[in-house]
Amino acid sequence: MTTARQSPRARNARGEGAKLKLDIIAAAGRLLDATGNPDAVTLRAVAREIGVAAPSIYAHFPDREAIVQALIEEGYAEAVADITAARDSETDPVRQLEAGVRAYLRFALDNPARYTVMLGRPGSHDPEPSRGVTDPATISFQLLVTAINECVREGRSRSTDPHRSATAIMVAIHGYALMKPQRPTFPWPPEDGFITYLVATLAGIE
Amino acid sequence: MTTARQSPRARNARGEGAKLKLDIIAAAGRLLDATGNPDAVTLRAVAREIGVAAPSIYAHFPDREAIVQALIEEGYAEAVADITAARDSETDPVRQLEAGVRAYLRFALDNPARYTVMLGRPGSHDPEPSRGVTDPATISFQLLVTAINECVREGRSRSTDPHRSATAIMVAIHGYALMKPQRPTFPWPPEDGFITYLVATLAGIE
DNA sequence: TGTACATCAGTGAACGCGCGTTCACTGATGTAC
DNA sequence: TGTACATCAGTGAACGCGCGTTCACTGATGTAC
């Protein structure tokens, strides 16, 4: 990253022009991770990072904002896939609950800047709530509620209000995911035990 | 706010030049609250908002960044004052704990953009951890630990690890403070009961 | 097999904009004599 | 009481910068005949 101009990259072969689109998203991701600031993902910085002229980007994105949007949507898809895969790798409902939460947290901690932007954009999620469950934060929350309900149904949770329990876990994990990378000098408890404690306590696991 | 140029304001009387400094901070606060983006607090936007020429600001702040810093520090002072005042208005330790948490949350919800910037700036807190407890997030956390310890000492909390309990409450309240204003369509539980539940559950109140 | 041509994957120069910051200044007001 | 002067609270013009975006273009490569 930084200002160092990349050696001008080799032109893509005929029919492979779409490869540049992937390079653009990847470069934007590196820029975002490096700066933590979506405003630093400028069209020209992305072009510089790849070693391409700025106008070349317009063949793949209508404007600057679309690059950031693409980055966010890529993150959404990845996070939801990770969470459901983690859940489906377990059969015990308590373990399913924990596995999902851990996968969510892993995504957030592995991509702190992207996670911040994904959840921090006002209006980037659910501007029209009635048009379906496209919002991945809503999807994650639904998975959480379902997992807790399953625990209750099998007598593993004494939660009297799964919606409230899920909300509590959601905000706690969200807060942890944001604060942990930002405050490395804080004396954080060991992560594994802390997450288990949070989930167990807030979901009322017996 | 917005682009509307203020009618050029009356010049301050002699000896009252410092009033402009207050106007600058106030205008920067309005700009931050309106946009939620500290990058939108530009020197020229602040000047425009007040109705003053841009260079006039240099009499009071060395550069643009100092304006944002002043805003953050003002917020820090206010938050810590609110929290200690809330705690000191109660005598029962459980009520002291809850009152402090509620005051913290109230500040965050009343100043969502400022709160986000205050806690979201990487390195804005504790770059040199050994130089004392100047970081107000650390101060808030210490108050939280102390309050829980007090509850344990008086047999009102069965927490076996107050540091862990305090960390859990901290991240949960932080997550809630950030998500609540950002997701107004989410079916949030009633706030009073939810906070009581969070604090009671995580602090192990009997 | 040779060649004209269309297409693809980009480029370089230029635009207007808002920004932070510097600079020399101005005009009102209080103060010293 | 009158006046020169210092000080205070600002201003207006200008600078160089990086930005998003537009525009006409170029040069390699595959394809039609």
Side-chain angles (χ1 to χ4, degrees):
Chain A
M1 61 122 202
T2 70
T3 1
R5 181 182 295 269
Q6 210 80 356
S7 55
R9 61 165 230 152
R11 174 181 297 239
N12 275 317
R14 219 140 192 263
E16 316 215 303
K19 278 184 178 166
L20 180 54
K21 184 166 193 176
L22 302 179
D23 288 356
I24 292 168
I25 295 184
R30 287 197 298 280
L31 245 30
L32 183 56
D33 285 345
T35 62
N37 182 359
D39 286 0
V41 183
T42 66
L43 218 128
R44 292 180 112 112
V46 169
R48 228 178 284 131
E49 171 84 10
I50 309 175
V52 105
S56 306
I57 290 179
Y58 286 97
H60 302 281
F61 294 94
D63 56 21
R64 184 203 99 102
E65 183 57 24
I67 302 176
V68 178
Q69 263 314 314
L71 211 50
I72 291 176
E73 262 141 44
E74 197 202 50
Y76 278 163
E78 190 183 328
V80 170
D82 286 1
I83 296 165
T84 54
R87 180 201 58 186
D88 295 345
S89 73
E90 301 285 349
T91 49
D92 179 76
V94 172
R95 293 173 72 101
Q96 285 191 330
L97 169 59
E98 258 212 54
V101 169
R102 282 183 197 281
Y104 181 98
L105 182 61
R106 200 174 315 119
F107 175 85
L109 294 180
D110 285 350
N111 309 272
R114 195 173 317 194
Y115 178 76
T116 303
V117 174
M118 280 167 59
L119 273 91
R121 291 250 137 160
S124 79
H125 24 234
D126 243 2
E128 231 289 302
S130 58
R131 87 178 138 79
V133 201
T134 34
D135 176 10
T138 303
I139 295 179
S140 309
F141 181 74
Q142 290 302 346
L143 291 172
L144 191 52
V145 174
T146 305
I148 296 175
N149 274 327
E150 202 59 23
C151 292
V152 172
R153 209 173 59 80
E154 299 209 8
R156 309 286 298 282
S157 157
R158 59 184 133 68
S159 172
T160 55
D161 186 344
H163 180 272
R164 190 172 75 169
S165 300
T167 304
I169 292 175
M170 173 180 78
V171 300
I173 297 295
H174 182 62
Y176 180 71
L178 290 176
M179 290 191 101
K180 179 102 189 281
Q182 210 131 55
R183 308 184 69 80
T185 61
F186 183 85
W188 294 104
E191 187 158 299
D192 272 16
F194 185 59
I195 301 308
T196 300
Y197 155 76
L198 271 183
V199 171
T201 307
L202 292 173
I205 302 299
E206 308 275 58
Chain B
M1 61 120 206
T2 70
T3 1
R5 180 183 297 269
Q6 210 79 355
S7 54
R9 62 167 228 152
R11 171 181 299 239
N12 276 317
R14 217 136 194 267
E16 315 215 305
K19 277 184 180 166
L20 180 53
K21 184 167 192 175
L22 301 179
D23 288 355
I24 292 168
I25 294 184
R30 287 197 297 280
L31 244 29
L32 183 56
D33 284 345
T35 62
N37 182 359
D39 286 0
V41 183
T42 66
L43 217 129
R44 293 180 111 112
V46 169
R48 228 179 284 131
E49 171 83 11
I50 309 175
V52 105
S56 306
I57 291 179
Y58 286 97
H60 302 282
F61 294 93
D63 55 22
R64 185 203 98 104
E65 183 57 24
I67 301 175
V68 179
Q69 263 314 313
L71 211 50
I72 291 177
E73 262 141 44
E74 196 201 53
Y76 279 163
E78 191 183 328
V80 169
D82 286 359
I83 295 165
T84 54
R87 180 202 57 185
D88 294 345
S89 73
E90 300 285 349
T91 49
D92 178 76
V94 171
R95 293 173 73 100
Q96 285 192 329
L97 169 60
E98 258 212 55
V101 168
R102 283 185 196 282
Y104 181 98
L105 182 62
R106 198 175 317 117
F107 174 85
L109 294 179
D110 285 349
N111 309 273
R114 195 173 315 196
Y115 179 75
T116 302
V117 174
M118 281 167 59
L119 273 91
R121 290 252 138 157
S124 79
H125 23 235
D126 243 4
E128 231 287 302
S130 59
R131 87 177 139 79
V133 203
T134 34
D135 175 11
T138 303
I139 295 178
S140 309
F141 181 75
Q142 291 302 345
L143 291 171
L144 192 52
V145 173
T146 305
I148 295 175
N149 274 326
E150 202 58 23
C151 292
V152 172
R153 211 173 58 79
E154 300 208 8
R156 308 286 299 281
S157 159
R158 62 183 132 68
S159 172
T160 56
D161 186 345
H163 179 271
R164 191 173 74 171
S165 299
T167 304
I169 292 175
M170 172 180 78
V171 299
I173 296 296
H174 181 61
Y176 180 72
L178 290 176
M179 288 191 102
K180 180 104 191 281
Q182 210 131 57
R183 309 184 69 80
T185 61
F186 183 85
W188 295 104
E191 187 159 298
D192 272 16
F194 185 59
I195 300 308
T196 301
Y197 153 77
L198 271 184
V199 171
T201 307
L202 292 173
I205 302 298
E206 308 275 59

